[in-house]
Amino acid sequence: MVSRTLLVPQGEFELSRIPDVELLQAWDAADEFILNHIDDIQVLSRHRKLLILNDAFGALSVALANYPVYAWSDSFLAQRALRANLVANGYPVEQVKTNVDIGFPTAAVDLVVIKIPKTLALLEHQLYALRPILHHDSKIFAAGMARHIHSSTLELFETILGPTTTTRARKKSRLIMVERDHLLNEGQSRFPDYYELEVDRNYRIANHASLFSRDRLDQGSRLLIEHMPIAEAYRRIVDLGCGNGVIGMIAASLNPRAELLFCDESHMAIASARENFAAAFGSSREAEFRVDDCLQGVADASQDLVLLNPPFHQQHNIGDMIAWQMFRDARRVLVDGGELQIVGNRHLAYHAKLKKLFGNCETVASNNKFVILRSIKNPVNNHRL
Ligand SMILES: C[S@@+](CC[C@H](N)C(=O)[O-])C[C@H]1O[C@@H](n2cnc3c(N)ncnc32)[C@H](O)[C@@H]1O
């Protein structure tokens, strides 16, 4: 069993992950490094505004919750974990302010704490977004596990914010200290960026900074699009884990009478999907866009078809827990006779999971890397839920 109690100079905190994975802790050595350093240099006061970026499960924000903290995250799951951990440690959920979409805070901040995100592009975007809200005395610290900090990471800090130094590794984590150079040329984030996609017609696909397969269509998604199911019976189609929404957009185009629902736990994914759908269909088509954990807020037995290219990472960790939750949710929201169609890497062995859950699973198509699988919700198997 891993520890659930974080012991740092700020106090003792009970912390869990979402989803809760028995062998994984809700914080890492980089969080401890930051909290110890902040205590050493005594930079906090109740009047100094703190911005925390990419806090994984709320460890930093909960430990610093007695100060005015704004926690910005692209991940709805991270935000849910933060809320749960605030409550578990006796704070109201409003104790820490959080973003509701991709918008960045606009008021000046005194201290910025950055956990290095998995996507370097997200860090780049965040550093540009920070520039206008830093003042001459603002302090900036970042930290991450040493294996996630490369020379390209440090270069980003240097070129966008100013002189950057790092500490030696402690428990395999490193601290980065940055000074804002106010004489650096102004510049701005290059995100969202765009690529062109030719399917039944030409689409211009916007991608905000944190997106999966940001510069081209993923090969698995391409296979799914090439075998897009088309039927009159599909009136409600879900693009689950929609990313930039390409799968749902092509489904909408080839099933012109269907209503589309786009779901993702990333605020930037939903912003990209919304922008791409509007660019493709204008006001001629309406769709729903949900930032959610899998399909939590979606009614049972309400959808005809769920399309999915499942994630195999949560932050820096690999696992299939989220994919498994997505399969279960898909089954719950499908009407009887409704279909789940997924694409996955051949080695991920989703076939056995779907067979177990739905009682059936057929291969629709495959190539040397990916396979498309289809399961149908059959009332006979309702006991399997
Ligand atoms: C492999 S990507 C597929 C993206 C897009 N459908 C495509 O094909 O390009 C998986 C997506 O699942 C999203 N995701 C991860 N965990 C999720 C969760 N718990 N609930 C909803 N979406 C999630 C990720 O943000 C990511 O956009």
Side-chain angles (χ1 to χ4, degrees):
M1 273 286 280
V2 295
S3 169
R4 289 185 186 267
T5 311
L6 170 67
L7 260 171
V8 278
Q10 291 78 10
E12 205 177 302
F13 304 96
E14 290 302 305
L15 299 170
S16 311
R17 297 170 69 102
I18 291 184
D20 200 0
V21 183
E22 215 172 289
L23 295 174
L24 293 177
Q25 223 168 240
W27 69 92
D28 60 19
D31 293 318
E32 293 177 277
F33 206 161
I34 288 183
L35 291 169
N36 277 291
H37 182 70
I38 284 180
D39 184 66
D40 287 347
I41 58 170
Q42 301 277 310
V43 276
L44 295 175
S45 85
R46 291 194 196 284
H47 309 290
R48 305 196 80 197
K49 291 208 171 64
L50 215 91
L51 173 62
I52 299 177
L53 303 181
N54 318 319
D55 196 4
F57 301 97
L60 295 169
S61 313
V62 171
L64 299 171
N66 283 329
Y67 302 95
V69 175
Y70 188 115
W72 192 99
S73 172
D74 181 47
S75 162
F76 176 81
L77 279 186
Q79 294 178 322
R80 260 189 58 201
L82 164 60
R83 284 193 285 272
N85 284 323
L86 280 170
V87 172
N89 289 280
Y91 292 108
V93 288
E94 314 79 47
Q95 183 77 10
V96 170
K97 282 198 196 122
T98 54
N99 52 303
V100 291
D101 54 27
I102 64 171
F104 221 66
T106 49
V109 286
D110 303 300
L111 175 64
V112 183
V113 173
I114 307 172
K115 264 314 268 302
I116 300 295
K118 191 164 135 264
T119 320
L120 209 56
L122 177 58
L123 179 64
E124 180 183 332
H125 177 75
Q126 291 177 326
L127 298 185
Y128 277 112
L130 274 178
R131 287 171 60 143
I133 59 172
L134 297 172
H135 57 74
H136 282 276
D137 289 327
S138 302
K139 301 251 173 299
I140 311 150
F141 304 114
M145 298 311 288
R147 65 181 183 281
H148 301 144
I149 299 175
H150 311 284
S151 49
S152 52
T153 319
L154 302 176
E155 267 167 42
L156 275 185
F157 283 99
E158 288 269 354
T159 47
I160 302 172
L161 291 183
T164 300
T165 50
T166 60
T167 60
R168 293 167 76 98
R170 185 196 290 180
K171 289 213 276 182
K172 299 188 179 158
S173 68
R174 278 171 83 187
L175 202 59
I176 300 171
M177 268 88 72
V178 190
E179 273 174 53
R180 171 78 169 105
D181 177 354
H182 288 268
L183 298 177
L184 271 183
N185 282 337
E186 284 305 320
Q188 59 182 29
S189 171
R190 61 195 168 96
F191 301 104
D193 56 1
Y194 296 83
Y195 66 77
E196 301 287 325
L197 176 65
E198 179 78 43
V199 187
D200 54 326
R201 59 189 159 108
N202 198 269
Y203 299 89
R204 187 166 184 249
I205 306 294
N207 293 279
H208 283 278
S210 74
L211 258 80
F212 167 79
S213 204
R214 215 180 42 251
D215 49 359
R216 72 180 81 92
L217 181 63
D218 168 63
Q219 290 308 307
S221 307
R222 181 175 295 280
L223 188 67
L224 187 55
I225 283 170
E226 283 166 4
H227 295 85
M228 183 59 71
I230 304 173
E232 272 293 305
Y234 301 142
R235 290 300 160 91
R236 282 146 311 169
I237 301 179
V238 185
D239 182 350
L240 173 55
C242 63
N244 59 23
V246 276
I247 292 175
M249 282 162 59
I250 307 302
S253 186
L254 301 181
N255 292 279
R257 297 183 62 185
E259 284 171 21
L260 265 290
L261 168 59
F262 292 85
C263 294
D264 205 291
E265 73 96 31
S266 148
H267 290 283
M268 288 191 165
I270 289 299
S272 308
R274 196 190 284 279
E275 179 175 336
N276 290 328
F277 192 85
F281 300 104
S283 54
S284 69
R285 236 18 220 276
E286 277 189 19
E288 192 186 339
F289 299 87
R290 291 185 69 88
V291 176
D292 204 346
D293 180 10
C294 302
L295 295 170
Q296 271 202 353
V298 180
D300 295 2
S302 60
Q303 309 293 324
D304 301 306
L305 173 66
V306 176
L307 299 166
L308 170 63
N309 179 357
F312 37 91
H313 280 103
Q314 186 188 14
Q315 294 171 13
H316 292 287
N317 292 299
I318 299 176
D320 63 4
M321 254 183 104
I322 290 180
W324 187 226
Q325 183 60 44
M326 286 178 158
F327 299 163
R328 280 202 302 258
D329 276 16
R331 190 176 190 291
R332 178 181 59 74
V333 306
L334 283 170
V335 296
D336 286 340
E339 296 168 36
L340 168 64
Q341 188 144 320
I342 75 153
V343 65
N345 229 294
R346 293 177 79 102
H347 73 262
L348 290 171
Y350 289 137
H351 190 279
K353 284 197 162 58
L354 291 175
K355 186 89 197 283
K356 188 163 166 219
L357 191 63
F358 285 80
N360 65 82
C361 178
E362 64 166 342
T363 300
V364 174
S366 65
N367 60 23
N368 55 355
K369 236 179 133 190
F370 297 98
V371 59
I372 300 180
L373 303 170
R374 173 168 55 210
S375 289
I376 297 179
K377 181 170 173 179
N378 176 350
V380 172
N381 292 308
N382 272 342
H383 66 280
R384 289 171 196 273
L385 266 177

